[in-house]
Amino acid sequence: MREAPARTGTVHLVGAGPGDPDLLTLRAARLVMNAKLIVHDGLVDPAILAMARPGCRMVSVAKQRARHSLPQDAINALLVREALAGNDVVRLKGGDPFVFGRGGEELEACRAAGITVEVVPGISAALGAAAAAQLPLTHRDEASVVSFVAGQCKGLSGQNWAGLAGVGRTLVIYMGVATAEAIAEKLIADGLAPDMPVAVIENACRPQMRVLRGPLAGLGALMTREKVRSPAVIVVGTVAARGSEAALTALAEAAA
Ligand code: SAH
């Protein structure tokens, strides 16, 4: 008979930020570098996984072409099983664990099993994208409210976004690539001006980042024409017209 493990492991729910390893918190970097077991999503950049030491066990719960991603219940069960077996788990998530990251569900599952959880915040995509595109989400002259919404969710048309976008407000849409056209129509139906500026930031904080701009009414066409792929965030509001192309070009040149 196997002896019961001497201790229960801790689950660290860690935000890995939008991509660039330099944007990890020190706490996240230390945890990744010392981990024996990392359970990660597809959005976590390979450069971050490469920081783990040799021999670290890596479990991907990401969506793969032929295989579906692990359902959330199975991920919860995996974390609980490993921790109860005495293993510390670094659960790495893109961006921040508590912004569209299902961190809350994993936290609850672990707590229900009596497992200690640490939550380490990360730079969420909206913040990373805004910084990389040099596009302020708030601006004293232009926007004093900023909201984050999920563009891909149950019953998009039933979501009440009224008041979240418009003059003086910035709306950042996550997971909106596939539904961009419907989102633009919905916002215009809610009263937004068709010429309200939008910016699409694809692969923010990664070498292949793109920043595309246009009017709200042309959002669907812009996505199709430019073949925008996930991950991307869509920023709606007058601040979306800001951001210096010259600065971006200079950055790209400096990185080359
Ligand atoms: N927890 C994550 C969000 C996960 S939902 C966070 O806080 O950032 C996945 C969505 O995040 C993507 O569909 C996309 O909208 C956004 N996203 C994640 N990484 C991104 C990146 N590098 N550039 C642009 N958008 C990104």
Side-chain angles (χ1 to χ4, degrees):
M1 227 179 77
R2 278 176 45 193
E3 281 180 32
R7 60 180 281 277
T8 300
T10 297
V11 172
H12 305 270
L13 285 180
V14 181
D20 185 346
D22 278 0
L23 296 179
L24 288 170
T25 62
L26 275 178
R27 178 75 188 139
R30 286 188 182 125
L31 284 165
V32 169
M33 289 189 292
N34 292 316
K36 291 191 185 136
L37 170 59
I38 293 179
V39 177
H40 66 90
D41 289 341
L43 271 179
V44 176
D45 202 274
I48 291 173
L49 300 178
M51 290 166 58
R53 61 186 184 189
C56 171
R57 192 151 53 101
M58 295 278 181
V59 179
S60 169
V61 294
K63 212 170 266 177
Q64 289 176 2
R65 216 172 266 266
R67 239 185 36 167
H68 273 294
S69 55
L70 272 187
Q72 190 60 46
D73 285 349
I75 299 174
N76 298 351
L78 170 72
L79 301 179
V80 168
R81 191 168 65 238
E82 290 290 347
L84 290 180
N87 299 319
D88 291 328
V89 187
V90 174
R91 171 71 176 109
L92 261 189
K93 292 170 166 291
D96 181 88
F98 282 176
V99 179
F100 307 128
R102 299 197 180 175
E105 293 167 48
E106 294 175 16
L107 172 70
E108 283 155 21
C110 291
R111 282 217 300 233
I115 293 158
T116 305
V117 179
E118 177 194 18
V119 183
V120 181
I123 294 180
S124 194
L127 306 181
Q134 304 200 349
L135 178 170
L137 296 178
T138 68
H139 193 289
R140 271 209 301 163
D141 300 331
E142 278 182 47
S144 58
V145 174
V146 54
S147 306
F148 300 162
V149 297
Q152 194 175 40
C153 52
K154 287 177 205 146
L156 179 63
S157 53
Q159 297 282 319
N160 183 2
W161 292 353
L164 298 184
V167 174
R169 285 156 285 166
T170 303
L171 183 67
V172 185
I173 302 153
Y174 287 62
M175 297 174 278
V177 172
T179 49
E181 183 146 21
I183 286 170
E185 283 168 10
K186 175 182 170 64
L187 290 171
I188 292 168
D190 281 348
L192 246 72
D195 63 354
M196 178 62 82
V198 295
V200 178
I201 305 154
E202 181 192 49
N203 278 310
C205 310
R206 296 177 179 174
Q208 66 275 37
M209 177 172 88
R210 286 198 295 168
V211 183
L212 309 162
R213 289 192 179 77
L216 179 59
L219 178 61
L222 176 78
M223 299 297 248
T224 310
R225 190 176 64 241
E226 299 291 340
K227 298 188 170 59
V228 174
R229 296 276 171 269
S230 183
V233 289
I234 303 166
V235 180
V236 182
T238 53
V239 294
R242 290 182 178 259
S244 147
E245 293 301 340
L248 288 173
T249 310
L251 275 180
E253 281 166 5

PDB file of all heavy atoms in Angstrom, residues 9-30:
ATOM      1  N   GLY A   9       0.012  19.747  -2.066  1.00  0.00           N
ATOM      2  CA  GLY A   9       0.688  20.806  -2.821  1.00  0.00           C
ATOM      3  C   GLY A   9      -0.146  22.083  -2.862  1.00  0.00           C
ATOM      4  O   GLY A   9      -1.324  22.087  -2.515  1.00  0.00           O
ATOM      5  N   THR A  10       0.517  23.142  -3.288  1.00  0.00           N
ATOM      6  CA  THR A  10      -0.162  24.434  -3.469  1.00  0.00           C
ATOM      7  C   THR A  10      -0.411  24.622  -4.968  1.00  0.00           C
ATOM      8  O   THR A  10       0.415  24.220  -5.783  1.00  0.00           O
ATOM      9  CB  THR A  10       0.741  25.578  -2.949  1.00  0.00           C
ATOM     10  OG1 THR A  10       0.934  25.389  -1.557  1.00  0.00           O
ATOM     11  CG2 THR A  10       0.126  26.942  -3.193  1.00  0.00           C
ATOM     12  N   VAL A  11      -1.533  25.223  -5.290  1.00  0.00           N
ATOM     13  CA  VAL A  11      -1.781  25.591  -6.689  1.00  0.00           C
ATOM     14  C   VAL A  11      -1.552  27.093  -6.832  1.00  0.00           C
ATOM     15  O   VAL A  11      -2.152  27.891  -6.108  1.00  0.00           O
ATOM     16  CB  VAL A  11      -3.208  25.208  -7.127  1.00  0.00           C
ATOM     17  CG1 VAL A  11      -3.513  25.778  -8.521  1.00  0.00           C
ATOM     18  CG2 VAL A  11      -3.373  23.684  -7.153  1.00  0.00           C
ATOM     19  N   HIS A  12      -0.631  27.457  -7.721  1.00  0.00           N
ATOM     20  CA  HIS A  12      -0.359  28.866  -7.992  1.00  0.00           C
ATOM     21  C   HIS A  12      -1.060  29.219  -9.308  1.00  0.00           C
ATOM     22  O   HIS A  12      -0.686  28.677 -10.353  1.00  0.00           O
ATOM     23  CB  HIS A  12       1.144  29.110  -8.150  1.00  0.00           C
ATOM     24  CG  HIS A  12       1.950  28.633  -6.966  1.00  0.00           C
ATOM     25  ND1 HIS A  12       2.237  29.427  -5.892  1.00  0.00           N
ATOM     26  CD2 HIS A  12       2.491  27.410  -6.695  1.00  0.00           C
ATOM     27  CE1 HIS A  12       2.937  28.730  -5.006  1.00  0.00           C
ATOM     28  NE2 HIS A  12       3.106  27.509  -5.469  1.00  0.00           N
ATOM     29  N   LEU A  13      -2.055  30.066  -9.239  1.00  0.00           N
ATOM     30  CA  LEU A  13      -2.749  30.517 -10.459  1.00  0.00           C
ATOM     31  C   LEU A  13      -2.010  31.754 -10.946  1.00  0.00           C
ATOM     32  O   LEU A  13      -2.124  32.824 -10.341  1.00  0.00           O
ATOM     33  CB  LEU A  13      -4.180  30.910 -10.139  1.00  0.00           C
ATOM     34  CG  LEU A  13      -5.203  29.826  -9.885  1.00  0.00           C
ATOM     35  CD1 LEU A  13      -6.559  30.469  -9.580  1.00  0.00           C
ATOM     36  CD2 LEU A  13      -5.332  28.924 -11.100  1.00  0.00           C
ATOM     37  N   VAL A  14      -1.252  31.595 -12.022  1.00  0.00           N
ATOM     38  CA  VAL A  14      -0.284  32.632 -12.390  1.00  0.00           C
ATOM     39  C   VAL A  14      -0.627  33.277 -13.734  1.00  0.00           C
ATOM     40  O   VAL A  14      -0.782  32.584 -14.746  1.00  0.00           O
ATOM     41  CB  VAL A  14       1.138  32.016 -12.466  1.00  0.00           C
ATOM     42  CG1 VAL A  14       2.167  33.076 -12.823  1.00  0.00           C
ATOM     43  CG2 VAL A  14       1.508  31.344 -11.149  1.00  0.00           C
ATOM     44  N   GLY A  15      -0.679  34.586 -13.760  1.00  0.00           N
ATOM     45  CA  GLY A  15      -0.867  35.321 -15.011  1.00  0.00           C
ATOM     46  C   GLY A  15       0.455  35.419 -15.737  1.00  0.00           C
ATOM     47  O   GLY A  15       1.459  35.861 -15.160  1.00  0.00           O
ATOM     48  N   ALA A  16       0.464  34.995 -17.007  1.00  0.00           N
ATOM     49  CA  ALA A  16       1.706  35.001 -17.784  1.00  0.00           C
ATOM     50  C   ALA A  16       1.821  36.247 -18.663  1.00  0.00           C
ATOM     51  O   ALA A  16       2.771  36.382 -19.426  1.00  0.00           O
ATOM     52  CB  ALA A  16       1.785  33.748 -18.650  1.00  0.00           C
ATOM     53  N   GLY A  17       0.832  37.151 -18.578  1.00  0.00           N
ATOM     54  CA  GLY A  17       0.891  38.364 -19.391  1.00  0.00           C
ATOM     55  C   GLY A  17       0.588  38.062 -20.854  1.00  0.00           C
ATOM     56  O   GLY A  17       0.238  36.934 -21.221  1.00  0.00           O
ATOM     57  N   PRO A  18       0.740  39.083 -21.711  1.00  0.00           N
ATOM     58  CA  PRO A  18       0.300  38.947 -23.102  1.00  0.00           C
ATOM     59  C   PRO A  18       1.284  38.248 -24.028  1.00  0.00           C
ATOM     60  O   PRO A  18       0.958  37.998 -25.187  1.00  0.00           O
ATOM     61  CB  PRO A  18       0.092  40.395 -23.535  1.00  0.00           C
ATOM     62  CG  PRO A  18       1.012  41.177 -22.668  1.00  0.00           C
ATOM     63  CD  PRO A  18       1.143  40.445 -21.371  1.00  0.00           C
ATOM     64  N   GLY A  19       2.482  37.937 -23.584  1.00  0.00           N
ATOM     65  CA  GLY A  19       3.401  37.237 -24.489  1.00  0.00           C
ATOM     66  C   GLY A  19       4.844  37.412 -24.077  1.00  0.00           C
ATOM     67  O   GLY A  19       5.460  36.473 -23.581  1.00  0.00           O
ATOM     68  N   ASP A  20       5.360  38.610 -24.273  1.00  0.00           N
ATOM     69  CA  ASP A  20       6.765  38.890 -23.990  1.00  0.00           C
ATOM     70  C   ASP A  20       7.145  38.471 -22.560  1.00  0.00           C
ATOM     71  O   ASP A  20       6.547  38.935 -21.592  1.00  0.00           O
ATOM     72  CB  ASP A  20       6.950  40.415 -24.163  1.00  0.00           C
ATOM     73  CG  ASP A  20       8.395  40.847 -24.017  1.00  0.00           C
ATOM     74  OD1 ASP A  20       9.215  40.044 -23.528  1.00  0.00           O
ATOM     75  OD2 ASP A  20       8.694  41.992 -24.378  1.00  0.00           O
ATOM     76  N   PRO A  21       8.167  37.599 -22.414  1.00  0.00           N
ATOM     77  CA  PRO A  21       8.572  37.182 -21.061  1.00  0.00           C
ATOM     78  C   PRO A  21       8.975  38.358 -20.160  1.00  0.00           C
ATOM     79  O   PRO A  21       8.843  38.283 -18.946  1.00  0.00           O
ATOM     80  CB  PRO A  21       9.778  36.265 -21.306  1.00  0.00           C
ATOM     81  CG  PRO A  21       9.687  35.856 -22.728  1.00  0.00           C
ATOM     82  CD  PRO A  21       8.950  36.923 -23.463  1.00  0.00           C
ATOM     83  N   ASP A  22       9.436  39.458 -20.767  1.00  0.00           N
ATOM     84  CA  ASP A  22       9.809  40.625 -19.958  1.00  0.00           C
ATOM     85  C   ASP A  22       8.603  41.222 -19.234  1.00  0.00           C
ATOM     86  O   ASP A  22       8.774  42.026 -18.318  1.00  0.00           O
ATOM     87  CB  ASP A  22      10.432  41.721 -20.831  1.00  0.00           C
ATOM     88  CG  ASP A  22      11.906  41.465 -21.104  1.00  0.00           C
ATOM     89  OD1 ASP A  22      12.429  40.450 -20.621  1.00  0.00           O
ATOM     90  OD2 ASP A  22      12.519  42.278 -21.811  1.00  0.00           O
ATOM     91  N   LEU A  23       7.410  40.854 -19.642  1.00  0.00           N
ATOM     92  CA  LEU A  23       6.216  41.406 -19.007  1.00  0.00           C
ATOM     93  C   LEU A  23       5.646  40.502 -17.924  1.00  0.00           C
ATOM     94  O   LEU A  23       4.562  40.750 -17.407  1.00  0.00           O
ATOM     95  CB  LEU A  23       5.138  41.722 -20.065  1.00  0.00           C
ATOM     96  CG  LEU A  23       5.549  42.815 -21.053  1.00  0.00           C
ATOM     97  CD1 LEU A  23       4.453  43.047 -22.084  1.00  0.00           C
ATOM     98  CD2 LEU A  23       5.868  44.125 -20.335  1.00  0.00           C
ATOM     99  N   LEU A  24       6.387  39.455 -17.554  1.00  0.00           N
ATOM    100  CA  LEU A  24       5.995  38.668 -16.381  1.00  0.00           C
ATOM    101  C   LEU A  24       6.271  39.475 -15.119  1.00  0.00           C
ATOM    102  O   LEU A  24       7.225  40.250 -15.080  1.00  0.00           O
ATOM    103  CB  LEU A  24       6.837  37.386 -16.300  1.00  0.00           C
ATOM    104  CG  LEU A  24       6.561  36.279 -17.310  1.00  0.00           C
ATOM    105  CD1 LEU A  24       7.660  35.224 -17.207  1.00  0.00           C
ATOM    106  CD2 LEU A  24       5.211  35.647 -17.054  1.00  0.00           C
ATOM    107  N   THR A  25       5.497  39.267 -14.071  1.00  0.00           N
ATOM    108  CA  THR A  25       5.908  39.823 -12.775  1.00  0.00           C
ATOM    109  C   THR A  25       7.107  39.009 -12.290  1.00  0.00           C
ATOM    110  O   THR A  25       7.328  37.870 -12.735  1.00  0.00           O
ATOM    111  CB  THR A  25       4.782  39.705 -11.733  1.00  0.00           C
ATOM    112  OG1 THR A  25       4.487  38.312 -11.544  1.00  0.00           O
ATOM    113  CG2 THR A  25       3.528  40.461 -12.161  1.00  0.00           C
ATOM    114  N   LEU A  26       7.854  39.587 -11.354  1.00  0.00           N
ATOM    115  CA  LEU A  26       8.991  38.836 -10.795  1.00  0.00           C
ATOM    116  C   LEU A  26       8.503  37.565 -10.118  1.00  0.00           C
ATOM    117  O   LEU A  26       9.141  36.518 -10.181  1.00  0.00           O
ATOM    118  CB  LEU A  26       9.733  39.691  -9.766  1.00  0.00           C
ATOM    119  CG  LEU A  26      10.789  40.635 -10.318  1.00  0.00           C
ATOM    120  CD1 LEU A  26      11.391  41.428  -9.171  1.00  0.00           C
ATOM    121  CD2 LEU A  26      11.868  39.849 -11.053  1.00  0.00           C
ATOM    122  N   ARG A  27       7.362  37.675  -9.449  1.00  0.00           N
ATOM    123  CA  ARG A  27       6.797  36.509  -8.761  1.00  0.00           C
ATOM    124  C   ARG A  27       6.493  35.394  -9.768  1.00  0.00           C
ATOM    125  O   ARG A  27       6.799  34.226  -9.543  1.00  0.00           O
ATOM    126  CB  ARG A  27       5.521  36.930  -8.022  1.00  0.00           C
ATOM    127  CG  ARG A  27       4.814  35.814  -7.308  1.00  0.00           C
ATOM    128  CD  ARG A  27       5.536  35.425  -6.027  1.00  0.00           C
ATOM    129  NE  ARG A  27       4.975  34.234  -5.423  1.00  0.00           N
ATOM    130  CZ  ARG A  27       5.707  33.255  -4.886  1.00  0.00           C
ATOM    131  NH1 ARG A  27       7.034  33.324  -4.859  1.00  0.00           N
ATOM    132  NH2 ARG A  27       5.136  32.221  -4.352  1.00  0.00           N
ATOM    133  N   ALA A  28       5.878  35.760 -10.897  1.00  0.00           N
ATOM    134  CA  ALA A  28       5.555  34.763 -11.926  1.00  0.00           C
ATOM    135  C   ALA A  28       6.838  34.141 -12.472  1.00  0.00           C
ATOM    136  O   ALA A  28       6.932  32.924 -12.636  1.00  0.00           O
ATOM    137  CB  ALA A  28       4.747  35.399 -13.047  1.00  0.00           C
ATOM    138  N   ALA A  29       7.842  34.970 -12.746  1.00  0.00           N
ATOM    139  CA  ALA A  29       9.102  34.463 -13.309  1.00  0.00           C
ATOM    140  C   ALA A  29       9.756  33.488 -12.334  1.00  0.00           C
ATOM    141  O   ALA A  29      10.233  32.421 -12.735  1.00  0.00           O
ATOM    142  CB  ALA A  29      10.042  35.625 -13.620  1.00  0.00           C
ATOM    143  N   ARG A  30       9.759  33.848 -11.055  1.00  0.00           N
ATOM    144  CA  ARG A  30      10.378  32.953 -10.057  1.00  0.00           C
ATOM    145  C   ARG A  30       9.634  31.619 -10.000  1.00  0.00           C
ATOM    146  O   ARG A  30      10.249  30.553  -9.925  1.00  0.00           O
ATOM    147  CB  ARG A  30      10.360  33.602  -8.685  1.00  0.00           C
ATOM    148  CG  ARG A  30      11.385  34.699  -8.567  1.00  0.00           C
ATOM    149  CD  ARG A  30      11.487  35.205  -7.128  1.00  0.00           C
ATOM    150  NE  ARG A  30      12.452  36.276  -7.079  1.00  0.00           N
ATOM    151  CZ  ARG A  30      12.204  37.494  -6.605  1.00  0.00           C
ATOM    152  NH1 ARG A  30      11.011  37.791  -6.107  1.00  0.00           N
ATOM    153  NH2 ARG A  30      13.144  38.400  -6.623  1.00  0.00           N
TER     154      ARG A  30
END
